Amino acid sequence: MPESAGFEGVSGRDALHDYSVSHSENFWAAVARQRLNWIRPFEAVQDCDLSQGRIKWFEGGKLNVSVNCLDRHVHTCPERVALIWERDERGSEVRYTYRELLEITCRLGNLLRRHGVKKGDCVTIYMPTCPLAVASMLACARIGAAHNVVFAGFSSEALAERIRDAQSSTVITVNQGVRGGKITELKRTVDAAVQSCPTVRQVFVAMRTEKRVEVTDRDFALEEEMLKEDVVCEPAAMDSEDVLFLLYTSGSTGKPKGLVHTQAGYLLYAALTHRYVFGYHDGDVFGCVADIGWITGHSYTVYGPLANGGTTVLFESTPVYPDPGRYWDMVERLRINQFYGAPTAIRLLIRYGDQWVKKYDRSSLTTLGSVGEPINTEAWEWYNRVVGEGRCPVVDTWWQTETGGICIAPKPSEPDAEIVPGMAMRPFFGIKPALMDTEGKLLTSNNASGALCMAQPWPGMARTIHNNHQRFLETYFQPYPGYFFTGDGAYRSQEGYYQITGRLDDVINVSGHRIGTAEIEDVVNQCSAVAESAVIGYSHSIKGQGVYAFVVLKKGVDMQEADLSKELNSMVSEKIAKYACPDFIQFAKRLPKTRSGKIMRRVLRKVVDCDLDSLGDLSTLDDPAAVQEIIEGHEKLLTKHREM
C-alpha cells in the first residue's frame, strides 16, 4: 500500500492494521486523498459517534462516483475492457470498454434528466445482471439520483413494497429475464407491482429478448430513447454524505429495511477491500458471480472493480447451466484471475464430482473467494484442493449489506500467514471487532464466543434506514451502546482469529439470501385456514439453511395437508420469492408457548435439529405437553419425507 510510506514506523500488514485502527483519521484521510478523484477536497475526515448512531465521513468534500468509476480510466486507458457480460447462452460473452461504458452511462444519464429525474430522486432498477443494469446504476450516480436495485427474483408484491418505500417515480426493467435457459417475465412483474405504486410515472424497458411486451402510456423503450441522447453528460458534484443508493434487506421484523449508503466512504471502502482482500492487480479479470440485486453485486461486481479500473465479469446464468462445468468453462474462456462465489453453489457442485472442474484449465486463477454465509470445512477443502489445485488462497469473507464491504477475511496478511479452513480470520484495515457477553460486557480474552460488534466506525458502513432512523438506532446501536452490533455471533480463537457462528436474531440465510422469519410468517398467516405459525431455519446440506414452518390451523378447517402446503408455498413464492418457500411444513394442534403467550422458537429449533437432550427447562411453558406433540409430528414428517 503506497500510502503506508507516510505512516511512521509501519512495515508489514500487521503493523499497518494496528496503525489503521489506532490512527484511524490519518489512515483514512491518506487513502481517500490518494484513491478518489475529488471535485473539492474534504475538510473533516470523520464526525462519528457510535453511541448516537451518527456516521459522517469526508464532509465538505465533493466528488462524482461515476467519474471515479469511468472518466478517470477513460483518460488513461479508454480501450481497457470494463465489463465482460457472461450471458446465459454459454460462449456468447460480450465485452464493453471503459469508453463504451461511459458513453452508455452518459446517454442514460441524459435520458433520465430529460424525463425529469433530479438530484436526490430515487430510481428503482429491476433487472438481471447485465451491462445496462450497471449503466443504470452509474447513470443515477452521474446525475445525483439514488438507485434502488431490487433482485429480479422478487415477486411483484415484494417489488411494489420497495418502490413505495423508496418513493420512486421511475423504474428501469427489461422485457424478459433469461437465466438457466428459462425465461422470466420481468416486465409483467413490474406492471403488476406499479398498480399499487401511485408515485411511478415512467417505466423504461430494455430488450433482453426479441419478445415484444405489452406497453402502457408510462412505458418507454430504453434503447430507442437512449439513441436520441448525447454521449456527454455533465456529472453532478455530490457531497460525500449524499445518498448513493438504497438496498433493502430482511430484518427480524416483517418489513424489509432500506439501508442507505452514501458516496465517498462507500466507494473508497469497496475499492480498497476489492484490491487488498483479493490481491487484485491492474490487468486482472475479476469474476464475482453474485447478482447485482445484492450488496455483493454492488460492491464487488460494480463499484469496487470499476473504481480500481478493473475488468469485471457480469454473470447472468447459474452454476449448473447448461452443465455443472459452467463456472470453470467461464474461468478458462475469460481467463479469470479472482473468482468470488457462494458456499451454496460450491456445495451443489461437489455433488456432481471433480470431473466437471478438471475438464477445464484453471491456471489463470490466483485467489478464490467465498461470500454470503460461513463456508463449511468440507466445501472449503474441496474448493481449495480441486478448484484451486492447492495453490490459490481461499478467502472466506464476512460482511453484510450494512457494512458496505468486507470486514473480516484471511487476506490481506503477511506473505506466509496461515489460512484456517472455514474461518473469516483477520479484520480488514480500520476494522476493530469486539465480542460481547450476554450481560453486554466486553470479552477481552481469546478463546471466547459472543455477540460480534464493531468498536469503531469505518467509511463503508450504512448511514441509516430510509425513512426510519429510529429503527436504525434500535437495531444496530442500542443493543450495545457505543458499539455497532452486527446481529451475528462469533468465536475468537486462541490466536485471535474470528469465526462467524451465525445469526443471533430471527433472520435465516438461505443460499446466501437473508430473510426474516417474521416476513415468511406474515405471509403464511394471511391464509384463511391458518390460525398462527412459527418459522425457523434449520441446517441444509446445500443451501446452508432451509426454511421449516410450523402451522396451526383454525378450528373446523377441512382441507388436505398436501393441498394446504401447496397453497402456502405458492403464497410465499408470490409475495416474497421462491427461495423463501418452506422446505417442510409441519401442521400442529398448538405451539409451545410461555405463560405470557410467546412462542418458544428455541424449543422448536432444538426439535428440528434433533437435539432433544438440550431442550432445557420446559416448566415455564404454558403447557409442556405441546412439546411432545411437536416432537412426534416432526418424526412423522421426517419418516414421510424419507419414503418419498
Side-chain angles (χ1 to χ4, degrees):
M1 186 184 275
E3 294 91 340
S4 64
F7 304 148
E8 211 175 311
V10 170
S11 63
R13 184 264 173 203
D14 291 349
L16 185 53
H17 180 264
D18 290 347
Y19 184 91
S20 73
V21 170
S22 59
H23 297 77
S24 175
E25 290 216 4
N26 290 1
F27 175 84
W28 288 114
V31 174
R33 287 190 190 105
Q34 180 77 23
R35 291 170 193 260
L36 295 180
N37 277 16
W38 296 89
I39 296 167
R40 188 175 84 197
F42 53 89
E43 290 150 16
V45 181
Q46 60 152 309
D47 173 18
C48 302
D49 182 346
L50 292 186
S51 60
Q52 293 179 22
R54 184 176 74 244
I55 308 131
K56 292 177 179 175
W57 285 86
F58 313 120
E59 280 190 297
K62 284 190 182 289
L63 79 171
N64 184 279
V65 164
S66 79
V67 168
N68 276 277
C69 290
L70 301 173
D71 306 52
R72 63 172 170 166
H73 309 310
V74 170
H75 290 315
T76 56
C77 45
E79 300 311 311
R80 179 184 289 173
V81 175
L83 307 178
I84 306 176
W85 183 22
E86 173 70 8
R87 288 156 50 94
D88 194 56
E89 303 85 353
R90 177 150 77 181
S92 66
E93 71 272 9
V94 188
R95 288 171 166 79
Y96 288 78
T97 64
Y98 271 93
R99 181 180 53 76
E100 289 167 332
L101 182 56
L102 177 60
E103 284 187 9
I104 305 169
T105 298
C106 285
R107 285 184 191 271
L108 238 164
N110 286 328
L111 172 61
L112 292 173
R113 266 188 185 144
R114 179 161 62 85
H115 280 261
V117 177
K118 301 183 303 300
K119 191 169 168 175
D121 289 352
C122 184
V123 173
T124 293
I125 299 169
Y126 184 72
M127 301 174 92
T129 302
C130 63
L132 270 176
V134 175
S136 298
M137 294 164 76
L138 292 166
C140 290
R142 195 164 193 88
I143 66 172
H147 58 71
N148 163 34
V149 181
V150 178
F151 173 57
F154 274 129
S155 68
S156 60
E157 289 209 19
L159 171 61
E161 185 172 26
R162 287 156 175 79
I163 293 172
R164 285 194 300 269
D165 192 73
Q167 296 144 325
S168 289
S169 60
T170 303
V171 178
I172 307 176
T173 189
V174 298
N175 62 335
Q176 293 179 311
V178 186
R179 191 165 179 267
K182 297 191 178 80
I183 298 285
T184 49
E185 301 292 342
L186 298 190
K187 169 62 164 61
R188 196 181 294 162
T189 304
V190 171
D191 286 344
V194 299
Q195 284 177 358
S196 61
C197 301
T199 55
V200 175
R201 291 198 324 268
Q202 55 203 359
V203 177
F204 293 102
V205 186
M207 297 297 283
R208 172 58 182 90
T209 64
E210 300 297 309
K211 173 107 186 290
R212 293 270 152 211
V213 288
E214 276 183 44
V215 292
T216 66
D217 295 346
R218 67 174 165 259
D219 297 335
F220 295 91
L222 184 65
E223 291 94 340
E224 281 175 33
E225 293 292 318
M226 280 169 65
L227 290 174
K228 301 173 186 172
E229 302 297 339
D230 192 22
V231 295
V232 176
C233 173
E234 187 61 34
M238 304 300 287
D239 291 333
S240 292
E241 284 298 329
D242 283 339
V243 177
L244 177 61
F245 64 86
L246 308 185
L247 194 55
Y248 285 83
T249 180
S250 283
S252 53
T253 67
K255 193 172 160 50
K257 37 187 198 272
L259 288 155
V260 174
H261 281 286
T262 55
Q263 312 270 330
Y266 168 79
L267 186 67
L268 178 67
Y269 197 73
L272 203 67
T273 46
H274 170 253
R275 191 172 282 285
Y276 291 110
V277 171
F278 300 100
Y280 186 86
H281 295 96
D282 288 350
D284 285 350
V285 175
F286 189 77
C288 170
V289 291
D291 192 283
I292 55 155
W294 307 117
I295 189 68
T296 306
H298 282 52
S299 298
Y300 300 111
T301 301
V302 182
Y303 288 114
L306 295 179
N308 287 328
T311 298
T312 181
V313 175
L314 305 177
F315 183 69
E316 187 182 40
S317 195
T318 76
V320 292
Y321 180 78
D323 59 48
R326 179 59 186 267
Y327 280 166
W328 323 121
D329 164 62
M330 175 176 76
V331 166
E332 176 181 292
R333 246 185 314 111
L334 308 184
R335 304 299 297 157
I336 289 172
N337 302 105
Q338 295 87 6
F339 180 85
Y340 196 28
T344 304
I346 296 159
R347 286 192 293 265
L348 175 67
L349 294 174
I350 290 173
R351 297 195 160 192
Y352 289 96
D354 300 358
Q355 70 274 17
W356 287 106
V357 185
K358 292 181 173 171
K359 192 175 167 186
Y360 299 100
D361 172 18
R362 301 168 320 287
S363 58
S364 61
L365 289 172
T366 58
T367 305
L368 297 172
S370 160
V371 62
E373 58 182 300
I375 185 168
N376 54 308
T377 307
E378 183 203 0
W380 191 100
E381 300 279 11
W382 184 85
Y383 201 22
N384 177 52
R385 180 176 48 82
V386 179
V387 177
E389 300 167 316
R391 55 178 184 79
C392 302
V394 175
V395 291
D396 172 14
T397 62
W398 175 85
W399 60 296
Q400 305 171 314
T401 306
E402 292 86 340
T403 72
I406 294 161
C407 288
I408 309 178
K411 295 273 182 184
S413 65
E414 301 292 353
D416 298 319
E418 69 173 334
I419 293 182
V420 181
M423 282 190 117
M425 299 192 74
R426 300 175 178 94
F428 189 73
F429 302 128
I431 298 295
K432 189 179 178 184
L435 295 183
M436 299 296 199
D437 69 11
T438 50
E439 307 292 307
K441 289 194 179 69
L442 183 65
L443 294 164
T444 52
S445 61
N446 286 350
N447 195 14
S449 294
L452 178 63
C453 296
M454 296 294 158
Q456 61 187 46
W458 65 99
M461 65 195 297
R463 302 304 196 251
T464 188
I465 291 173
H466 181 60
N467 285 339
N468 200 341
H469 192 62
Q470 190 53 37
R471 185 178 176 192
F472 185 64
L473 297 176
E474 286 166 7
T475 306
Y476 303 107
F477 299 98
Q478 285 174 8
Y480 301 94
Y483 293 85
F484 170 86
F485 172 49
T486 68
D488 279 339
Y491 163 69
R492 186 167 54 224
S493 72
Q494 201 54 56
E495 301 77 16
Y497 302 147
Y498 288 87
Q499 180 172 22
I500 308 304
T501 53
R503 296 295 299 171
L504 297 175
D505 58 13
D506 290 319
V507 173
I508 49 183
N509 194 325
V510 182
S511 303
H513 305 309
R514 272 174 57 182
I515 185 88
T517 52
E519 219 171 316
I520 304 172
E521 287 168 11
D522 280 355
V523 174
V524 169
N525 294 345
Q526 284 169 28
C527 174
S528 58
V530 173
E532 63 178 349
S533 65
V535 170
I536 59 164
Y538 72 97
S539 185
H540 189 287
S541 61
I542 292 178
K543 295 191 283 193
Q545 279 189 297
V547 179
Y548 195 111
F550 293 89
V551 174
V552 177
L553 298 177
K554 287 178 182 163
K555 292 222 174 354
V557 168
D558 184 22
M559 208 174 162
Q560 290 295 315
E561 288 185 356
D563 295 340
L564 250 174
S565 293
K566 258 193 210 143
E567 185 183 331
L568 292 173
N569 267 317
S570 96
M571 284 173 73
V572 173
S573 171
E574 196 181 300
K575 289 182 186 290
I576 305 173
K578 277 204 176 78
Y579 67 76
C581 291
D583 303 273
F584 291 97
I585 298 178
Q586 179 177 337
F587 293 96
K589 290 197 192 79
R590 55 197 168 152
L591 298 174
K593 291 181 180 178
T594 61
R595 292 189 180 115
S596 62
K598 189 178 178 207
I599 297 168
M600 289 291 280
R601 285 177 172 76
R602 174 185 65 77
V603 170
L604 296 176
R605 279 192 204 99
K606 297 283 184 199
V607 171
V608 171
D609 290 340
C610 301
D611 183 11
L612 303 183
D613 293 339
S614 55
L615 282 174
D617 179 16
L618 302 179
S619 62
T620 58
L621 293 184
D622 183 36
D623 184 357
V627 178
Q628 195 49 44
E629 289 171 14
I630 291 285
I631 293 168
E632 286 164 13
H634 174 64
E635 283 165 1
K636 266 191 211 147
L637 191 59
L638 284 192
T639 307
K640 192 166 142 194
H641 187 70
R642 286 189 201 106
E643 288 165 358
M644 280 163 73

